[in-house]
Amino acid sequence: MSLRQKTITGLIWSFIDNFAVQGVHFVIGIVLARLLTPTDFGLIGMITIFISISQWFISSGFGQALIRKQNCTQSDYSTVFIFNILAGIILYVLLFFSAPFISDFFEEPLLTPLLKVFGINLIIISLTIIQQTQLTKRLDFKLQTHISVISSISSGAIGIFMAYKGFGVWSLVYKSVIEYGLRSILLWFFNSWRPSFIFSKDSFQELFGFGYKLMLRGLIYTIFNNIYYAVIGKYFSTADLGYYTKAEQFKNLPSQNINKVINRVTYPALSELQHDKIELKRAYQKIFITLVYITSVSMITLGALAEPIVITLIGEKWRGSIELLQLLSFVGLLYPLCDFNLTILKIVGKSGLILKLEIVKRILTIPVIIVGIITSIKFLIVGIIIVTTIEFLVNGYFSGRYINYKLSEQLKDNLPNILLALILGISVYLFSKYLNLSYILNLLLSSMFALILIVGLSEMFRNRGYLNIKSILIEQIKRKRRRV
């Protein structure tokens, strides 16, 4: 199978994996949101930053380093595995004994037991990083899809049952632990790799030399990306944090999943072209234009239909999430583009530059946090939009230098996508506002209108991102027919 076909197949299964799993999570989240309260979700939001930071310490960028390395040995995998396990145990112990202090900071006594149980995920995750890395390196997302769907449905069913029985926030905690645990068991069962009791100093130095800079960059990014949970939880009410958390979850469904699908497939695929700069630019440019088309269309539509989506799916008690979701949609549009732009820097081995860029960009975030504390959550999100826009421009400038793809060329290539998305968003918003129907009918009719409009406009203006997607779908249909 050619690299192009492997990439397309990987994209398709990665897409199915992420959206099947997140679709299950989304449906389960809707049910749980109706059974639980904004305060319950706010409590989980308070501990999110500590779990997220700990996860980055565990991986230490080793996963990215292993994917980038062309010929990994048993010694490489075993060394990273042993490090991950030790890191997971140490971080869980630290989190366990820090739980009372975190609870005092937020003035929420329940956080102490919640953290001690939720933190078990750190040990479970440390057991599965190598298994997932190997499958990703082989572009085997079909197996990952099956494992993810099974674990998500099983844990979700248990979480809903517990919420129905009145376990409150604990239903969210046990749902998470069960999901990670079941996924780990299935990965070990279906992937044949087993560790050796080898810890190679040479392997560690080689992989850590590249990976630690990505780890630090990811750590800084994670801290500042999740610090908003801590700020809102500390300076606003737990319910306000619940509204923000739920708006984030709606935003993340398309945004983070698009980003994850694109990056985990294109990074190993584009890494194989690292010695051919002309072909690397051509492939990167095509993917980038398609990515901008998908994110701009999906996120602008999400923002335009935020009110009927929230009220229809999770009810009136979550109305406080609507305006937050509308603003966060712009952040969700830019996030995948910012992250994808760093792919080139990873491929050419510029992990040090990635770290430096991250430090500079996060310094810009500090005034945003201060303004948010003084004013409101809405102003905090507006500040996030401004910082994310700057981040996109900076990442695009530096990444473009290494493949002769200037920032001005990137903007020119994607201007049609942005204009198309804005026309779509304004049209769908006005269409939805003037419908004097129930929220559920409004959502159904507006969604149909959005789909018809985007396909019609894309065909009319021969949009490049749309045509790329269309050609892939036609090619896959023809391949299936030939097999039959």
Side-chain angles (χ1 to χ4, degrees):
M1 186 182 294
S2 67
L3 176 62
R4 181 176 183 274
Q5 189 55 46
K6 282 173 63 179
T7 304
I8 291 174
T9 302
L11 280 169
I12 291 172
W13 275 107
S14 184
F15 179 88
I16 294 172
D17 177 21
N18 276 274
F19 282 90
V21 173
Q22 294 305 318
V24 171
H25 280 164
F26 189 68
V27 173
I28 292 170
I30 289 172
V31 178
L32 289 172
R34 290 184 172 275
L35 293 172
L36 303 174
T37 68
T39 300
D40 292 324
F41 284 88
L43 288 169
I44 296 299
M46 288 177 181
I47 63 179
T48 296
I49 183 173
F50 304 101
I51 301 298
S52 299
I53 291 172
S54 299
Q55 287 183 24
W56 273 107
F57 271 116
I58 294 171
S59 66
S60 298
F62 278 126
Q64 299 285 344
L66 288 169
I67 291 172
R68 180 178 179 270
K69 186 174 180 179
Q70 296 295 309
N71 298 302
C72 294
T73 65
Q74 175 69 3
S75 178
D76 293 331
Y77 287 124
S78 297
T79 298
V80 174
F81 177 80
I82 292 171
F83 175 85
N84 289 340
I85 295 295
L86 293 175
I89 294 172
I90 292 171
L91 286 167
Y92 175 68
V93 172
L94 289 174
L95 190 65
F96 186 93
F97 288 105
S98 300
F101 302 101
I102 295 172
S103 181
D104 290 341
F105 175 79
F106 287 108
E107 299 178 357
E108 288 285 355
L110 188 56
L111 287 181
T112 298
L114 289 176
L115 273 166
K116 290 180 178 179
V117 176
F118 204 91
I120 296 172
N121 285 331
L122 298 178
I123 298 176
I124 299 173
I125 290 169
S126 69
L127 290 167
T128 58
I129 290 175
I130 296 299
Q131 303 288 2
Q132 287 183 311
T133 298
Q134 287 196 339
L135 294 177
T136 300
K137 196 173 176 67
R138 297 199 301 262
L139 298 180
D140 186 357
F141 298 105
K142 185 176 181 179
L143 177 58
Q144 293 187 63
T145 300
H146 295 153
I147 291 173
S148 298
V149 170
I150 291 171
S151 57
S152 298
I153 293 176
S154 302
S155 61
I158 295 172
I160 290 173
F161 176 77
M162 291 183 67
Y164 179 75
K165 289 295 184 179
F167 283 87
V169 67
W170 283 105
S171 59
L172 298 174
V173 173
Y174 283 108
K175 170 188 169 296
S176 177
V177 174
I178 292 169
E179 180 176 1
Y180 278 113
L182 184 56
R183 183 178 300 168
S184 178
I185 292 171
L186 292 174
L187 280 168
W188 278 89
F189 181 80
F190 287 106
N191 191 43
S192 60
W193 179 84
R194 295 295 181 267
S196 302
F197 291 100
I198 301 172
F199 189 89
S200 169
K201 183 179 179 181
D202 292 337
S203 291
F204 182 84
Q205 289 177 340
E206 178 190 0
L207 296 169
F208 192 71
F210 175 82
Y212 88 91
K213 296 171 186 175
L214 293 181
M215 183 271 288
L216 290 177
R217 180 261 167 184
L219 182 61
I220 295 170
Y221 177 85
T222 301
I223 291 173
F224 279 92
N225 196 45
N226 288 278
I227 201 170
Y228 309 114
Y229 290 102
V231 169
I232 296 171
K234 177 64 176 177
Y235 295 99
F236 300 91
S237 70
T238 307
D240 285 333
L241 180 54
Y243 294 134
Y244 178 84
T245 300
K246 186 53 64 176
E248 270 271 296
Q249 290 174 349
F250 274 103
K251 181 265 289 184
N252 288 341
L253 180 64
S255 180
Q256 284 197 355
N257 284 286
I258 291 170
N259 179 62
K260 189 175 181 181
V261 167
I262 296 295
N263 275 294
R264 74 173 180 170
V265 177
T266 58
Y267 178 48
L270 291 175
S271 291
E272 296 191 24
L273 302 174
Q274 59 186 282
H275 302 299
D276 186 348
K277 294 295 178 65
I278 295 176
E279 184 62 22
L280 179 59
K281 176 188 175 181
R282 187 199 65 78
Y284 179 85
Q285 184 178 26
K286 186 173 184 178
I287 295 170
F288 188 56
I289 292 171
T290 307
L291 176 61
V292 175
Y293 173 81
I294 295 172
T295 54
S296 58
V297 166
S298 58
M299 297 312 302
I300 293 295
T301 303
L302 177 65
L305 297 178
E307 183 175 1
I309 287 174
V310 170
I311 302 302
T312 298
L313 297 180
I314 56 179
E316 280 285 346
K317 66 181 177 181
W318 290 96
R319 182 171 285 275
S321 298
I322 295 174
E323 291 186 356
L324 303 183
L325 176 57
Q326 290 170 336
L327 291 171
L328 284 171
S329 295
F330 291 97
V331 180
L333 190 161
L334 293 165
Y335 168 72
L337 311 183
C338 294
D339 207 40
F340 182 68
N341 252 330
L342 295 177
T343 301
I344 294 298
L345 297 182
K346 294 178 187 177
I347 290 172
V348 299
K350 299 296 180 181
S351 56
L353 177 57
I354 294 175
L355 175 58
K356 292 176 183 176
L357 291 176
E358 194 64 36
I359 293 172
V360 172
K361 288 177 291 187
R362 295 313 151 194
I363 290 174
L364 298 176
T365 306
I366 296 174
V368 171
I369 296 171
I370 296 173
V371 170
I373 293 172
I374 297 173
T375 56
S376 68
I377 299 175
K378 294 177 187 176
F379 276 100
L380 178 65
I381 299 175
V382 171
I384 297 173
I385 295 172
I386 295 171
V387 171
T388 309
T389 302
I390 296 172
E391 180 180 354
F392 165 67
L393 297 174
V394 171
N395 289 355
Y397 170 78
F398 281 99
S399 296
R401 289 172 58 186
Y402 290 95
I403 55 172
N404 195 29
Y405 190 26
K406 296 180 180 179
L407 179 61
S408 57
E409 188 179 356
Q410 296 175 39
L411 296 175
K412 182 180 178 181
D413 282 344
N414 288 290
L415 181 60
N417 287 327
I418 301 301
L419 293 176
L420 187 69
L422 289 175
I423 293 172
L424 172 70
I426 294 171
S427 301
V428 171
Y429 180 79
L430 294 175
F431 181 84
S432 175
K433 280 297 182 183
Y434 283 102
L435 283 180
N436 188 22
L437 298 169
S438 65
Y439 280 112
I440 187 170
L441 288 176
N442 187 315
L443 180 58
L444 290 172
L445 291 176
S446 297
S447 299
M448 292 174 60
F449 174 73
L451 180 61
I452 294 170
L453 185 61
I454 190 57
V455 173
L457 290 174
S458 298
E459 286 282 359
M460 182 186 303
F461 294 106
R462 309 302 294 168
N463 182 275
R464 291 167 66 185
Y466 168 80
L467 293 177
N468 289 339
I469 298 172
K470 184 178 177 181
S471 65
I472 291 174
L473 292 175
I474 292 174
E475 180 180 336
Q476 293 303 305
I477 292 172
K478 289 181 178 178
R479 283 175 59 84
K480 288 185 178 296
R481 287 178 177 175
R482 284 197 297 268
R483 290 173 183 172
V484 174

